Amino acid sequence: MVPPIHEYLPNEIFCDILLQAAHAAGAHIPRQTPSSRQSEPDLRESIKFSSVCQGWRHILTTNRSFWLDNSFKNFLYPSPQDALACMKAVLRRTYPGFNRITMDFRSLKDLDQDQAERIIAAALYILLNVAPEVLSSQWKELCLFVADEELINTISDYLTLEAPKSARAKLSPITSLQVTLALDWHSRRPSSNVSNRPPGLPSLALPYFNTQSFKSLTRLQLTNVRAYVFPSIIHQNPLLSGRMFELSLHRWTCKIDEPLFIDDSDPEAGEADPPMPPFHLVTNSPMNIFNSSFASATTLTIQFPIPVSHHNIPINLPYSPSISNIARLFLKNNFDTVRDLRLTNVTPRIWLALLALLKRLPTHLMTSDPLILPLSTLYWEGLTIQFAPFQSRSSTRSSPRNSSISPGILIDNDEQENIASTSAAVFPPILNSEGDPPLIKRIKEELGLPFDVETELMKVEKIEELQEVMRRCSVLLTSRLPMLRRINICDSKGASRRLDFEGHERSAA
């Protein structure tokens, strides 16, 4: 009689076979809508494998690779009771190895609020009841998705006030928290009392999420949600002893207005806190930031939308950067504490706008807002510029397929789907997005450089050529940035160079 396969294969090889089978099964199953399944395909395959026999179950449940990412995205299928029972069974089977938990409550969007709140409370109770105790926990990430701002308050209140203290303590090992409010603006009427915002950009009194129970956070990612943060907790976090706390503002669809409320009292002792420590602000939604003051943000990373092509026509993503909204970004927000600025997916037009701002050209050349003053002296010590793939006007017209995205730049699946489903007619060709060539010509003339910045950048083929163009531009940077020490330059292929503020270049470390 032939022995079972798991008895004569080493566990490592057997697990690798099952892992590949689970991933392959997931890859061949069409992506389901939120109303069809509770968990991801590869997780469902892992559960099936662990149900074959006692030997397979023991091998799978003791191998964390199968349970690193547990996602629960439907709490109505086939019924709320069945969905919660399924979630409980999966969590018990994956205990204590799960690393990342995703709770997607967007399927509750059209449900009665009281019923939705009961389902959320039951799901959170199960999660905290099954979660391992602090000393044995390997739980590091929690991702929360909702489609109703009131449910953000429900989750925040439960994790901060309603859950037993012993259950809330199980949240303390988590280092990364993501809170996403996925708002459907087609069915909403945005507030009309917000001035100076582009037409169609919604703004609401967005809810706050309380982070008091998360004692080990090193990264907080917010989408259309604001957060309470406590400096005392951040100061006491040993994981931040050699690094900065990171705040990520990810894919906002509404106005970003003061995303943090910094509580200046100890949440438990009621004593005064030290000030907010320096933190790293990362955003891929820069065009939605208006009238914000990011105090203590000493490092700022701005990830601009990537220009992509659709039906062979170069287009911009929504709220893509133009001269005017780049000007609003830097002139209407307070980045006085920033010492290290990092810009990614930079196009020649974005770089032109930044040079115009640092040259302190009249603001009416860049934006129609009459209340904006020119950029004051800034105290950036480091500037990092990562360029996106771009082409000259002639090459784009002759071979539009060449405007592909660099392999080093990643777009997630949701963004790819949004791009693929967008009509090219909605967004004009990227090279004509300004709509006012004479104004761009005047900006270039006012810069006073003996060359056309955009033209020279579009000619670049090697990192050495890019380095030389940036060196020639640096005369405009050093006069307005007295503390500038270095400029790191990265092309779309991953090559990099460094300009010291004295003007000497060397390869980036």
Side-chain angles (χ1 to χ4, degrees):
M1 182 176 180
V2 179
I5 186 173
H6 66 274
E7 291 187 4
Y8 63 84
L9 274 182
N11 282 355
E12 294 79 4
I13 296 178
F14 182 62
C15 287
D16 187 55
I17 293 173
L18 293 185
L19 275 173
Q20 293 187 38
H23 294 327
H28 287 86
I29 296 176
R31 293 188 66 183
Q32 304 287 347
T33 62
S35 61
S36 55
R37 288 290 186 266
Q38 166 69 309
S39 55
E40 298 295 336
D42 52 352
L43 177 59
R44 295 200 298 271
E45 293 301 312
S46 298
I47 294 171
K48 289 180 183 177
F49 294 152
S50 67
S51 303
V52 170
C53 65
Q54 187 175 359
W56 283 38
R57 175 175 296 188
H58 174 73
I59 293 173
L60 267 73
T61 55
T62 55
N63 189 311
R64 294 183 62 241
S65 300
F66 292 93
W67 320 108
L68 290 178
D69 188 354
N70 292 343
S71 176
F72 305 100
K73 61 180 183 178
N74 192 320
F75 292 89
L76 298 178
Y77 177 87
S79 69
Q81 293 77 14
D82 291 332
L84 291 170
C86 174
M87 172 188 162
K88 185 175 183 179
V90 171
L91 288 175
R92 282 185 169 174
R93 184 163 297 184
T94 62
Y95 168 90
F98 57 71
N99 177 271
R100 173 187 172 103
I101 297 291
T102 299
M103 306 285 283
D104 190 339
F105 296 110
R106 285 177 289 184
S107 59
L108 307 181
K109 175 185 174 182
D110 298 323
L111 212 58
D112 175 79
Q113 184 170 334
D114 289 340
Q115 186 178 1
E117 290 179 352
R118 288 194 296 271
I119 293 174
I120 288 176
L124 295 176
Y125 173 82
I126 292 171
L127 175 64
L128 296 182
N129 184 55
V130 176
E133 299 297 332
V134 173
L135 294 179
S136 60
S137 178
Q138 301 180 55
W139 185 12
K140 298 302 179 185
E141 296 184 54
L142 175 61
C143 304
L144 301 167
F145 293 82
V146 299
D148 187 326
E149 56 267 30
E150 291 298 329
L151 299 183
I152 290 289
N153 297 325
T154 299
I155 298 173
S156 179
D157 289 346
Y158 187 89
L159 297 180
T160 306
L161 303 172
E162 298 173 14
K165 189 174 182 179
S166 59
R168 299 199 305 267
K170 296 181 179 181
L171 299 170
S172 59
I174 294 175
T175 59
S176 178
L177 173 64
Q178 176 183 349
V179 186
T180 297
L181 175 57
L183 296 171
D184 179 8
W185 295 110
H186 297 291
S187 60
R188 293 178 179 274
R189 183 174 300 171
S191 172
S192 60
N193 59 354
V194 179
S195 59
N196 298 325
R197 60 180 176 86
L201 183 63
S203 178
L204 289 176
L206 296 173
Y208 279 101
F209 188 91
N210 194 321
T211 63
Q212 177 180 336
S213 298
F214 299 85
K215 309 294 186 183
S216 300
L217 278 187
T218 60
R219 182 174 183 269
L220 175 61
Q221 179 174 307
L222 304 174
T223 301
N224 300 327
V225 178
R226 298 177 288 184
Y228 285 101
V229 295
F230 301 88
S232 61
I233 295 177
I234 297 176
H235 277 285
Q236 295 167 14
N237 185 355
L239 299 177
L240 293 172
S241 58
R243 59 188 293 190
M244 284 192 293
F245 179 79
E246 180 181 309
L247 170 65
S248 176
L249 306 178
H250 179 67
R251 297 181 64 180
W252 283 56
T253 58
C254 61
K255 187 171 75 75
I256 302 175
D257 188 5
E258 304 296 347
L260 294 185
F261 178 82
I262 300 173
D263 196 315
D264 60 357
S265 62
D266 189 305
E268 295 182 356
E271 299 175 355
D273 263 352
M276 180 72 178
F279 67 90
H280 181 187
L281 174 64
V282 181
T283 179
N284 59 5
S285 311
M287 300 303 104
N288 292 1
I289 300 179
F290 294 90
N291 306 317
S292 291
S293 174
F294 299 103
S296 301
T298 57
T299 301
L300 171 64
T301 296
I302 297 177
Q303 302 167 341
F304 291 109
I306 304 173
V308 297
S309 61
H310 179 60
H311 297 316
N312 297 334
I313 300 176
I315 63 172
N316 280 328
L317 296 177
Y319 307 117
S320 56
S322 64
I323 290 284
S324 59
N325 53 31
I326 290 290
R328 281 195 297 266
L329 170 65
F330 283 98
L331 297 177
K332 298 199 69 172
N333 298 288
N334 184 356
F335 298 120
D336 288 348
T337 60
V338 172
R339 296 296 177 264
D340 189 2
L341 177 67
R342 306 170 186 177
L343 306 178
T344 65
N345 305 327
V346 174
T347 62
R349 186 56 52 86
I350 294 175
W351 182 241
L352 176 68
L354 187 59
L355 290 178
L357 289 168
L358 292 170
K359 179 72 173 180
R360 296 187 70 177
L361 297 185
T363 56
H364 72 270
L365 292 178
M366 293 171 281
T367 176
S368 59
D369 193 328
L371 302 179
I372 297 184
L373 298 175
L375 196 66
S376 61
T377 298
L378 296 171
Y379 297 98
W380 301 339
E381 298 175 5
L383 178 62
T384 298
I385 307 294
Q386 177 194 338
F387 283 93
F390 50 79
Q391 299 170 290
S392 65
R393 182 177 284 101
S394 60
S395 64
T396 303
R397 287 176 176 170
S398 61
S399 181
R401 290 184 182 272
N402 291 336
S403 58
S404 58
I405 297 172
S406 167
I409 299 176
L410 300 178
I411 299 183
D412 60 33
N413 290 333
D414 290 337
E415 193 166 0
Q416 288 179 3
E417 288 186 354
N418 290 338
I419 293 169
S421 63
T422 300
S423 169
V426 176
F427 305 108
I430 189 170
L431 295 175
N432 296 322
S433 61
E434 295 298 327
D436 195 353
L439 186 59
I440 300 302
K441 182 178 179 180
R442 183 178 173 189
I443 288 175
K444 293 178 180 179
E445 292 173 351
E446 293 285 344
L447 283 180
L449 292 173
F451 60 94
D452 186 309
V453 175
E454 287 188 300
T455 300
E456 292 300 311
L457 285 175
M458 289 177 181
K459 292 179 182 178
V460 164
E461 294 182 359
K462 299 179 180 179
I463 184 63
E464 292 79 12
E465 297 172 355
L466 179 60
Q467 178 184 0
E468 177 59 22
V469 174
M470 296 296 286
R471 185 192 64 78
R472 297 168 68 189
C473 293
S474 64
V475 63
L476 294 180
L477 300 176
T478 53
S479 61
R480 191 60 56 198
L481 304 173
M483 302 296 291
L484 189 64
R485 297 290 178 265
R486 63 194 177 278
I487 306 174
N488 297 313
I489 309 160
C490 307
D491 66 13
S492 61
K493 300 176 183 178
S496 61
R497 290 292 186 270
R498 172 168 163 169
L499 295 174
D500 290 331
F501 92 107
E502 295 91 353
H504 300 293
E505 307 95 45
R506 63 177 182 269
S507 294

